[in-house]
Amino acid sequence: MVKKQKIVVIGAGPVGSLAALYAASRGNDVEIYELRGDLRDPSTTPLNFTKSINLALSERGLNAMRHAGQPKLIDHVKAATIPMRGRMIHGKKPNGQLYEEAQDYDIHGRAILAIDRGGLNKRLLDILEEMPNVTFFFNHKLTGADFNKNKAWFEVKDGTSSGEKGQRAREIEIDFNFMIGADGAHSAVRYHLMKYTRMDYEQQYIDTLWCEFQIQPKENPEDDSLMSKFRISPNHLHIWPGKKFMFIAIPSDDGTFTCTLFAPAEFYTFLESDPSGAHIPDFFDTYFPGVTDLIPPRPIDLLLSLQPPPPPHQHQMQALPLQFLGRYRDAAHAMVPFYGQGMNAGLEDVRILFDILDKHARMDEETVDHDPASARERALDEYSRVRVQDAHAINDLALQNYVEMRASVLSLSYRFRKWLEEQLNVWLPGLGWQTKYSRVSFGNERYSEVVRKSEHQGRVLMRALTGLLFGALGGPLVAVGVVMAVRYRRAVDVGLRAAMGNVDSMVEYMTMNR
């Protein structure tokens, strides 16, 4: 029988909450420490900024929840989601007419689920609160940790001892058997861990800032149903691609859309250069046609949405090792949001972590002198070896997908490869052919394996295309046939012609992705 352990989770966000559920379902005493107040309280303000990009929940996150030992968790969470079956690309034809073009994520009709970050967090905390072996400690700031003695110290913001001039905030000391750091990209746990182990730490900022807008529900919906409240399709992620920047809109379950403008810093400098904001509507109408019909079109409203606070920077972060003496699993990989996998990867981290912990615990029980701490140390060594390459892979995929969303969705070569891979998946399923997006969002393969298989498919397509174009059997005729087929695909959506601009050739595309 495994001895009950005291598991301390730092951070009560979605990943920390799921980690606490996993730990508690195994009979451990779990304590959750959160810097902010109760996240279910409307008066609790998120850190650093007051708004947050809506989340996309996909198969990896759902699979992690299925294994949490809480039968009603999935249904409880899904009740706050809206399925998005694909992207809706917005643009303008040469004659000035606006168009929308749907691009399904998956040929089999599978969808990802849009959910408000706060809504997901609240539902996870609701499930946790029902568990008798879980205790919450909100308004507790981690100020120190001794990973040799398994002790930690917290500053308590209780309104009694903090805030008075000349007085220190009340501090408490706790002990623990195992600490799980789920406190995000700017992890306090990681900061203190660096004092105890040789840690490689890398943080990279990208030249992309973001700010948030809102599309409000219809003022006079046709009926009382939720679907009738939305001003544009609620079952798509809407994208206005601008090659170097983009504007996106993700539905929420109250009939609104959370909209985000991603752009390099120089564009924000330009947009904020005129205090009146007079030039901003023209910028939106040029690059994001139709947006000003959906959000408040007055220049000052658009300007106020851009500031303050300044648009937060996007960055990714990686740290290694992920643990010290088996006592800590860090919030070790932050990523940019462009694949919608940040939260899903974090939830999957939890599932994989506890799978490995369970395996080593079972192995330890079979020994004469079993030691849970030693077994946990071996488990976390294995976790670091296994998971780090997948963390690197999804970080790279997320950066690549930003290019896809803001530019490649307009590219004929991108559309051709997606179409070809989907046809191979349908008509020759035995080949195991899938698009990279389907593997990432609708499966549970390791991210590193997804990259390997996608690169292999690219090489096969390159060789096949080269053989068709330059083979001895009617190469010129085949080349003409391929060009005609591509032109036919292009003609399916006449409106796309205006947005195409400089279209890559298939050969160039395949060469870049060899």
Side-chain angles (χ1 to χ4, degrees):
M1 182 68 179
V2 178
K3 182 180 178 182
K4 181 185 292 188
Q5 302 282 294
K6 180 179 178 181
I7 311 296
V8 168
V9 179
I10 311 299
V15 175
S17 297
L18 188 68
L21 278 173
Y22 269 73
S25 68
R26 284 153 177 77
N28 299 295
D29 290 326
V30 179
E31 295 180 354
I32 306 175
Y33 291 85
E34 168 58 48
L35 175 60
R36 297 163 288 184
D38 191 332
L39 302 178
R40 293 164 294 181
D41 185 341
S43 66
T44 298
T45 302
L47 298 176
N48 302 324
F49 47 85
T50 59
K51 299 176 181 178
S52 174
I53 303 170
N54 274 21
L55 300 173
L57 181 60
S58 63
E59 166 58 23
R60 293 175 191 272
L62 292 170
N63 189 47
M65 292 183 193
R66 286 188 206 105
H67 290 83
Q70 297 294 321
K72 67 179 183 179
L73 175 60
I74 290 288
D75 289 339
H76 190 50
V77 167
K78 279 188 172 182
T81 65
I82 294 182
M84 297 187 296
R85 63 176 180 265
R87 299 163 177 161
M88 185 70 77
I89 311 303
H90 294 255
K92 183 186 291 186
K93 298 179 182 180
N95 62 6
Q97 182 181 354
L98 302 182
Y99 72 84
E100 297 180 345
E101 184 241 337
Q103 295 182 1
D104 285 353
Y105 287 130
D106 179 64
I107 196 169
H108 301 290
R110 291 175 291 187
I112 60 176
L113 304 176
I115 187 169
D116 173 74
R117 181 188 295 271
L120 172 62
N121 217 150
K122 292 172 185 176
R123 288 169 185 264
L124 287 166
L125 292 175
D126 288 343
I127 300 293
L128 271 174
E129 194 168 45
E130 297 176 0
M131 305 186 74
N133 54 334
V134 175
T135 307
F136 294 105
F137 294 89
F138 294 107
N139 295 307
H140 280 62
K141 178 182 179 181
L142 180 69
T143 56
D146 187 329
F147 291 98
N148 287 319
K149 298 180 179 178
N150 284 11
K151 293 185 179 295
W153 293 269
F154 294 86
E155 179 182 288
V156 183
K157 297 188 294 181
D158 57 8
T160 58
S161 57
S162 59
E164 296 181 20
K165 189 174 181 179
Q167 285 192 345
R168 291 186 58 186
R170 181 168 66 92
E171 190 173 72
I172 63 170
E173 176 185 293
I174 68 163
D175 56 13
F176 58 87
N177 297 112
F178 181 34
M179 176 183 287
I180 299 177
D183 49 343
H186 303 287
S187 171
V189 185
R190 181 178 63 250
Y191 170 78
H192 295 295
L193 179 68
M194 287 179 175
K195 305 169 189 175
Y196 291 85
T197 188
R198 297 176 180 179
M199 176 180 288
D200 292 327
Y201 174 79
E202 178 183 347
Q203 180 170 287
Q204 176 188 2
Y205 281 91
I206 64 172
D207 184 23
T208 299
L209 309 181
W210 67 270
C211 67
E212 191 173 288
F213 300 82
Q214 283 276 325
I215 295 177
Q216 296 299 323
K218 292 179 181 177
E219 294 183 0
N220 299 300
E222 293 79 10
D223 52 56
D224 294 332
S225 67
L226 173 61
M227 294 298 106
S228 68
K229 296 180 180 179
F230 291 101
R231 301 185 66 185
I232 51 179
S233 168
N235 299 123
H236 291 88
L237 186 155
H238 294 261
I239 303 178
W240 285 259
K243 298 293 182 70
K244 292 184 178 181
F245 39 79
M246 69 178 180
F247 190 91
I248 67 172
I250 303 177
S252 298
D253 64 351
D254 60 357
T256 65
F257 282 83
T258 299
C259 306
T260 312
L261 169 61
F262 295 98
E266 62 179 306
F267 286 93
Y268 280 94
T269 300
F270 165 73
L271 292 175
E272 296 171 351
S273 60
D274 183 349
S276 70
H279 59 303
I280 295 180
D282 288 339
F283 173 86
F284 271 74
D285 289 339
T286 300
Y287 295 103
F288 314 128
V291 165
T292 54
D293 294 331
L294 300 171
I295 60 177
R298 294 189 307 158
I300 193 63
D301 292 324
L302 297 174
L303 183 65
L304 290 175
S305 292
L306 293 167
Q307 56 173 289
H313 291 264
Q314 295 292 338
H315 77 281
Q316 64 176 14
M317 178 276 296
Q318 298 170 160
L320 189 70
L322 306 184
Q323 57 94 18
F324 171 70
L325 296 180
R327 296 186 185 123
Y328 167 64
R329 178 267 180 235
D330 182 33
H333 58 91
M335 72 184 71
V336 293
F338 305 117
Y339 222 120
Q341 285 293 304
M343 175 197 63
N344 291 286
L347 299 179
E348 186 178 63
D349 285 344
V350 173
R351 178 184 65 79
I352 293 173
L353 169 65
F354 278 88
D355 282 349
I356 295 175
L357 287 169
D358 290 345
K359 180 182 76 173
H360 283 268
R362 289 192 297 270
M363 294 168 58
D364 183 61
E365 283 185 320
E366 297 172 359
T367 64
V368 176
D369 299 317
H370 64 87
D371 179 2
S374 178
R376 186 164 54 242
E377 183 175 349
R378 293 191 299 273
L380 291 179
D381 281 339
E382 178 181 342
Y383 176 82
S384 290
R385 292 193 306 271
V386 168
R387 194 57 174 163
V388 67
Q389 57 187 306
D390 295 316
H392 290 175
I394 187 55
N395 276 7
D396 292 342
L397 287 172
L399 282 173
Q400 294 167 16
N401 209 52
Y402 181 38
V403 178
E404 179 175 312
M405 293 176 71
R406 62 180 168 83
S408 297
V409 292
L410 299 176
S411 167
L412 184 59
S413 54
Y414 160 80
R415 291 161 57 84
F416 177 78
R417 176 172 175 174
K418 180 177 183 293
W419 172 82
L420 181 58
E421 288 179 331
E422 289 179 336
Q423 297 307 309
L424 288 169
N425 176 257
V426 171
W427 297 108
L428 297 171
L431 295 178
W433 211 283
Q434 294 185 61
T435 65
K436 184 193 299 181
Y437 191 91
S438 290
R439 291 186 189 278
V440 169
S441 297
F442 304 119
N444 293 291
E445 291 178 287
R446 293 182 59 180
Y447 290 118
S448 55
E449 187 68 6
V450 170
V451 171
R452 186 191 68 79
K453 290 181 177 179
S454 180
E455 290 177 349
H456 171 71
Q457 289 179 186
R459 289 191 294 269
V460 171
L461 287 176
M462 179 61 186
R463 287 194 292 267
L465 183 61
T466 302
L468 285 173
L469 291 174
F470 305 108
L473 299 176
L477 292 177
V478 173
V480 171
V482 170
V483 172
M484 291 181 65
V486 172
R487 290 180 63 84
Y488 171 74
R489 291 286 302 167
R490 186 180 186 181
V492 170
D493 182 9
V494 178
L496 187 60
R497 294 176 182 174
M500 281 291 189
N502 182 23
V503 178
D504 305 320
S505 70
M506 282 186 293
V507 174
E508 180 183 3
Y509 176 82
M510 296 301 181
T511 302
M512 291 171 58
N513 289 273
R514 293 183 67 176

